[in-house]
Amino acid sequence: MTDAGPPPSAAFLVMALGRRMRERVEHALRTEGITMRHLSALGHLSRDSGISYSELARRASVTPQSMQATLMRLEERGAVQRTTDSGRGRTARLVVTDEGTRLLGLGRDAIAELDRVLADEAGAEDVGRLTPVLLRALVALGARADG
């Protein structure tokens, strides 16, 4: 009889599942020319249009310069609109446009499809129990509870 080895690590499985899920969402967004970083920025801006570049960058774990490039792409795309004059030292106020709302909807649809896959595999009741556990684990590891 052969030894099957230790059971799989839950942390490893969550990381692998997260990677696969991210790939699926990125694939859905690729046709629109945006990435998860763009989707994340749109999500944060839709909840808090007065958020600063540096706070957006902190939430996304990227540099402010990288976030500025992300937001410039979203502006060029017409997904966000600057409602203040740009300039050194000024806080840019960006709002999500109708196009940005449409893109957010596409991202939410892609994520909802993943929720359906989870529910099909684990059952809605187990997913309902798992969701708060995952949220608590994220917070314990330093993530914000609101994203």
Side-chain angles (χ1 to χ4, degrees):
M1 183 165 218
T2 61
D3 183 12
S9 159
F12 178 81
L13 291 173
V14 168
M15 288 187 307
L17 181 60
R19 185 174 53 249
R20 291 290 179 154
M21 290 180 152
R22 183 180 183 100
E23 289 169 358
R24 290 276 180 102
V25 174
E26 290 273 2
H27 179 75
L29 299 175
R30 192 173 300 126
T31 59
E32 295 291 336
I34 64 169
T35 65
M36 281 292 294
R37 184 176 296 168
H38 295 111
L39 185 65
S40 175
L42 284 170
H44 288 298
L45 284 171
S46 73
R47 290 188 301 276
D48 184 3
S49 62
I51 193 169
S52 69
Y53 280 43
S54 57
E55 177 61 15
L56 274 170
R58 189 185 66 71
R59 290 183 187 182
S61 299
V62 299
T63 66
Q65 295 83 359
S66 179
M67 183 53 66
Q68 188 170 13
T70 298
L71 293 171
M72 284 177 56
R73 170 70 179 114
L74 289 171
E75 268 191 278
E76 292 166 0
R77 175 66 195 264
V80 296
Q81 181 179 12
R82 185 183 305 270
T83 61
T84 56
D85 293 332
S86 60
R88 192 164 185 81
R90 293 188 182 163
T91 301
R93 182 161 171 81
L94 300 167
V95 295
V96 176
T97 65
D98 289 344
E99 172 65 2
T101 300
R102 184 185 74 79
L103 293 172
L104 270 171
L106 291 173
R108 287 183 181 130
D109 288 348
I111 292 167
E113 176 59 28
L114 296 173
D115 281 334
R116 281 190 288 281
V117 169
L118 282 175
D120 288 349
E121 293 303 316
E125 190 174 307
D126 283 346
V127 172
R129 285 193 301 267
L130 180 61
T131 301
V133 171
L134 293 174
L135 182 57
R136 287 192 307 271
L138 280 169
V139 170
L141 293 171
R144 292 171 40 111
D146 65 353

Coordinates of all heavy atoms in Angstrom, one line a residue, residues 1 15 31 37 39 54 63 70 75 98 100 125 132 144:
M1 N 0.8 -1.2 0.0 CA 0.0 0.0 0.0 C 0.9 1.2 0.0 O 1.9 1.3 0.7 CB -0.9 -0.1 1.2 CG -1.9 1.1 1.3 SD -3.2 0.7 2.5 CE -4.5 1.4 1.7
M15 N -5.0 29.7 -2.4 CA -4.1 30.5 -3.4 C -4.3 30.0 -4.8 O -4.4 30.8 -5.7 CB -2.6 30.4 -2.9 CG -2.3 31.2 -1.7 SD -0.5 31.2 -1.3 CE -0.1 29.5 -1.3
T31 N -11.3 41.4 -23.2 CA -11.9 41.9 -24.5 C -12.3 43.4 -24.4 O -12.5 44.0 -25.4 CB -13.2 41.1 -24.7 OG1 -14.1 41.2 -23.6 CG2 -12.9 39.6 -24.9
R37 N -6.8 45.3 -12.0 CA -6.4 46.6 -11.3 C -7.4 47.7 -11.7 O -7.8 48.5 -10.9 CB -5.0 46.9 -11.7 CG -4.5 48.2 -10.9 CD -3.1 48.5 -11.1 NE -2.3 47.5 -10.6 CZ -1.0 47.4 -10.9 NH1 -0.4 48.3 -11.6 NH2 -0.3 46.4 -10.4
L39 N -10.5 47.3 -12.7 CA -11.8 46.9 -12.1 C -11.8 47.3 -10.6 O -12.7 47.9 -10.1 CB -12.1 45.4 -12.3 CG -13.4 45.0 -11.8 CD1 -14.6 45.6 -12.6 CD2 -13.5 43.4 -11.9
S54 N -3.2 58.1 -3.7 CA -2.4 57.4 -2.7 C -3.2 56.3 -2.0 O -2.7 55.2 -1.7 CB -1.6 58.3 -1.8 OG -2.5 59.1 -1.1
T63 N 2.2 51.2 -6.2 CA 2.7 52.6 -5.9 C 1.7 53.6 -6.4 O 0.9 53.3 -7.3 CB 4.1 52.8 -6.7 OG1 3.8 52.8 -8.1 CG2 5.1 51.8 -6.3
T70 N -2.9 53.7 -14.0 CA -4.2 52.9 -14.1 C -5.3 53.9 -14.3 O -6.2 53.7 -15.1 CB -4.4 52.1 -12.8 OG1 -3.3 51.1 -12.7 CG2 -5.7 51.4 -12.8
E75 N -9.4 57.0 -17.5 CA -9.8 58.3 -18.0 C -9.8 58.3 -19.6 O -10.8 58.8 -20.2 CB -8.9 59.5 -17.6 CG -9.3 60.1 -16.3 CD -8.5 61.4 -16.1 OE1 -7.4 61.3 -15.5 OE2 -9.0 62.5 -16.4
D98 N -20.8 56.5 -16.9 CA -21.7 55.4 -17.4 C -20.8 54.2 -18.0 O -21.2 53.1 -17.7 CB -22.7 55.9 -18.4 CG -23.7 56.8 -17.8 OD1 -23.9 56.8 -16.6 OD2 -24.4 57.5 -18.6
G100 N -17.8 53.4 -17.1 CA -17.2 52.8 -16.0 C -18.2 51.9 -15.3 O -17.8 50.8 -14.8
E125 N -25.3 26.5 0.7 CA -25.2 26.6 2.2 C -23.7 26.6 2.7 O -23.3 27.5 3.5 CB -25.9 25.4 2.8 CG -26.1 25.5 4.3 CD -26.9 24.4 4.9 OE1 -28.0 24.2 4.4 OE2 -26.4 23.7 5.8
P132 N -18.0 34.3 5.2 CA -17.5 35.1 6.3 C -16.1 34.6 6.9 O -15.4 35.3 7.4 CB -18.6 35.0 7.4 CG -19.5 33.9 6.9 CD -19.3 33.7 5.5
R144 N -8.4 45.1 4.2 CA -9.6 45.8 4.7 C -10.8 45.0 4.5 O -11.0 44.3 3.5 CB -9.7 47.2 3.9 CG -8.6 48.1 4.2 CD -8.7 49.3 3.2 NE -10.0 49.7 3.0 CZ -10.5 50.9 3.4 NH1 -9.8 51.7 4.1 NH2 -11.8 51.2 3.2

